[in-house]
Amino acid sequence: MFNDEINGEFMEFKDANEGKFTWWSYVNMKSDIKTALGFAKFFYPDVIEVEGCFLLKDKFSEKNFDMWKKECQNNKVNIEKMMNLYQVRDFFHIYVDEDKNLEEQIQALGEVLKIFWSLSFKNRFPNREIVVSLFEEEDGELFITVYER
């Protein structure tokens, strides 16, 4: 999925423990069960359907929905793409460690989200074609969105 070296802190702990430090050790040390449950919802997000649109529950805003319906002229796919659009960098913008690997970490997070979201939607909605799209804009910013084809 990604190389361990992407996280310098993890590598320092691993080296200090003569290679007997795992990602489970790291998570245990850095987080708690409440945060783990939050990440479960982050990697397996709740969805809602509003007027036939497949929408990420935690991103939903009725005001934005009404605006995008109008802007997209009621095109379901375009409404979903815009309503579910998120800049990957913004998921963790509060606690940003200006690591030399930050851009690589953002890319890895986007790819991991795409994998897990795709798996979660395929598991829950096997008869629907839910697309998770990860793309980079011209300015280099990475975005993720979800829509039903």
Side-chain angles (χ1 to χ4, degrees), residues 1-2 6 39 42-43 86-92 101-119 121 131-136 140-146:
M1 198 173 318
F2 56 85
I6 199 169
F39 274 108
F42 180 70
F43 288 109
Y86 207 86
Q87 189 171 358
V88 176
R89 177 184 309 275
D90 282 350
F91 279 119
F92 299 100
N101 295 327
L102 181 59
E103 296 306 314
E104 185 180 358
Q105 292 167 353
I106 290 168
Q107 184 69 40
L109 175 62
E111 291 170 11
V112 168
L113 281 175
K114 181 178 179 177
I115 290 168
F116 282 101
W117 286 8
S118 296
L119 289 171
F121 299 141
V131 177
V132 179
S133 177
L134 182 67
F135 62 94
E136 191 172 304
E141 285 302 325
L142 191 64
F143 289 85
I144 193 165
T145 193
V146 178

Side-chain angles (χ1 to χ4, degrees), residues 11 19 31 43 49-51 72 95-96 106 108 115 118 122 130 143:
M11 292 305 296
S31 197
F43 288 109
E49 287 195 55
V50 178
E51 297 181 28
C72 297
Y95 298 109
V96 177
I106 290 168
I115 290 168
S118 296
K122 182 175 263 191
I130 307 301
F143 289 85

Side-chain angles (χ1 to χ4, degrees), residues 55-149:
L55 305 171
L56 298 172
K57 181 180 176 185
D58 286 346
K59 182 100 171 54
F60 182 74
S61 154
E62 192 168 332
K63 179 181 172 186
N64 286 343
F65 181 72
D66 291 340
M67 179 195 71
W68 285 118
K69 270 186 7 184
K70 184 177 178 182
E71 289 287 321
C72 297
Q73 300 174 341
N74 288 318
N75 180 297
K76 177 186 176 313
V77 171
N78 290 339
I79 294 167
E80 291 171 347
K81 285 180 179 180
M82 296 311 297
M83 286 293 296
N84 295 327
L85 183 67
Y86 207 86
Q87 189 171 358
V88 176
R89 177 184 309 275
D90 282 350
F91 279 119
F92 299 100
H93 67 277
I94 295 172
Y95 298 109
V96 177
D97 180 8
E98 290 301 326
D99 191 293
K100 65 179 179 171
N101 295 327
L102 181 59
E103 296 306 314
E104 185 180 358
Q105 292 167 353
I106 290 168
Q107 184 69 40
L109 175 62
E111 291 170 11
V112 168
L113 281 175
K114 181 178 179 177
I115 290 168
F116 282 101
W117 286 8
S118 296
L119 289 171
S120 80
F121 299 141
K122 182 175 263 191
N123 177 267
R124 290 180 280 172
F125 308 101
N127 298 323
R128 295 171 77 174
E129 192 176 351
I130 307 301
V131 177
V132 179
S133 177
L134 182 67
F135 62 94
E136 191 172 304
E137 287 284 308
E138 288 179 16
D139 63 0
E141 285 302 325
L142 191 64
F143 289 85
I144 193 165
T145 193
V146 178
Y147 60 95
E148 183 174 22
R149 193 176 332 215

